C-alpha cells in the first residue's frame, strides 16, 4: 500500500477536454493591432463583440491601433511629483514665507507657556 495522496496526478479541472464537456465555443475573429515600435499583436474577440480601436501591446506596453501605417503615439509620461512640488504650484514663495513665519510664531508662543 502506498502512503500518499489518493488523488495523485490530478488537478482541478482535469478530465476530458472537449466541446461536449464545455459546450460549443463562440465564433471568434482575430484583429491585428500595430504599435509605434512595429510590434503586431492579434487578439481574438467574439464575432459579435465590439472591437476596440486601441489595444495595449503585450511586448512593449505602448498603445496599438488597427492602422499599420499610422499607429497611435506613445502617451506623454508626466514625471512623478512630490507633495512639496504640488504645494509649490499652488503657493508663491511669499505665501510660503508668511505661512512659515506664522507657524514659527505659534510654536515659540507655545514654548513660552
Amino acid at each position: 500500500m502506498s502512503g500518499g495522496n489518493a488523488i495523485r496526478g490530478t488537478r482541478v479541472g482535469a478530465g476530458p477536454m472537449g466541446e461536449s464537456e464545455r459546450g460549443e465555443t463562440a465564433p471568434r475573429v482575430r484583429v491585428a493591432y500595430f504599435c509605434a515600435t512595429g510590434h503586431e499583436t492579434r487578439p481574438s474577440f467574439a464575432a459579435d463583440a465590439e472591437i476596440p480601436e486601441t489595444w495595449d501591446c503585450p511586448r512593449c506596453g505602448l498603445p496599438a491601433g488597427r492602422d499599420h501605417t499610422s499607429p497611435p503615439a506613445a502617451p506623454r509620461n508626466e514625471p512623478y511629483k512630490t507633495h512639496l512640488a504640488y504645494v509649490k504650484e499652488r503657493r508663491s514663495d511669499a505665501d510660503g514665507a508668511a505661512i512659515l513665519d506664522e507657524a514659527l510664531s505659534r510654536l515659540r508662543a507655545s514654548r513660552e507657556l
Side-chain angles (χ1 to χ4, degrees), residues 18-91:
E19 289 187 3
S20 62
E21 285 280 321
R22 294 177 293 176
E24 291 190 27
T25 58
R28 311 292 280 172
V29 61
R30 286 199 169 272
V31 179
Y33 289 93
F34 306 93
C35 72
T37 55
H39 300 137
E40 177 184 359
T41 182
R42 292 180 169 269
S44 64
F45 299 96
D48 58 349
E50 183 178 336
I51 307 225
E53 289 298 317
T54 61
W55 192 260
D56 289 339
C57 177
R59 294 171 106 190
C60 63
L62 293 175
R66 292 196 271 176
D67 186 10
H68 178 64
T69 58
S70 62
R76 185 170 169 251
N77 289 335
E78 293 289 328
Y80 175 77
K81 289 185 183 178
T82 63
H83 176 70
L84 181 60
Y86 283 110
V87 170
K88 285 182 177 181
E89 284 181 357
R90 293 191 313 256
R91 308 261 187 211

